[in-house]
Amino acid sequence: QVQLVESGGGLVQPGGSLRLSCAVSGSIVSLYDIGWYRQAPGKQRELVAAIISRGTTHYADSAKGRFTISRDGAKNTVHLQMNSLKPEDTAVYYCNARRPGSYLYNVWGQGTQVTVSS
């Protein structure tokens, strides 16, 4: 039912910024817990930031102070503002949606590539 489409990835120099977007269709974004994950080649997928249904946010230690997750109800999107990017941030970034209270509901977007390189 819910579909997620990520956008905004690209190539950026160290210290630069990118703003990722996760467009939610099929439902209202505020009904879901939304997480941004990333996966580098040969590495496990890891949670970067999340915003739960009621609006509370969570950040991985590596993202604190540099990344900001936000929700735009009018556009039904979740954004991840990434500042002070480092080469270690290079990965495919995925948007994930879960319904609060559901153990099996788990929807992923297709991913967007972020490359931080000089």
Side-chain angles (χ1 to χ4, degrees), residues 1-3 24-28 32 76:
Q1 186 175 13
V2 169
Q3 296 182 17
V24 179
S25 62
S27 191
I28 301 173
Y32 298 87
N76 220 39

Side-chain angles (χ1 to χ4, degrees), residues 23-92:
V24 179
S25 62
S27 191
I28 301 173
V29 65
S30 61
L31 297 178
Y32 298 87
D33 299 337
I34 306 295
W36 279 102
Y37 292 74
R38 68 186 181 190
Q39 187 167 22
K43 302 294 179 64
Q44 285 272 65
R45 188 171 299 185
E46 63 176 348
L47 178 67
V48 178
I51 181 166
I52 66 173
S53 180
R54 66 183 182 183
T56 304
T57 57
H58 169 81
Y59 297 94
D61 288 342
S62 61
K64 289 180 180 176
R66 299 189 299 127
F67 294 4
T68 303
I69 188 169
S70 61
R71 187 171 64 200
D72 186 338
K75 297 182 178 180
N76 220 39
T77 61
V78 172
H79 301 285
L80 183 67
Q81 178 67 46
M82 305 189 296
N83 299 325
S84 302
L85 284 163
K86 306 174 181 179
E88 308 92 89
D89 297 317
T90 296
V92 177

Side-chain angles (χ1 to χ4, degrees), residues 5-10 17-23 36-38 67-68 70 77-82 91-95 112-114:
V5 179
E6 301 97 330
S7 62
S17 298
L18 284 174
R19 186 176 180 86
L20 306 183
S21 297
C22 174
W36 279 102
Y37 292 74
R38 68 186 181 190
F67 294 4
T68 303
S70 61
T77 61
V78 172
H79 301 285
L80 183 67
Q81 178 67 46
M82 305 189 296
V92 177
Y93 284 70
Y94 298 90
C95 187
T112 184
Q113 176 71 49
V114 172

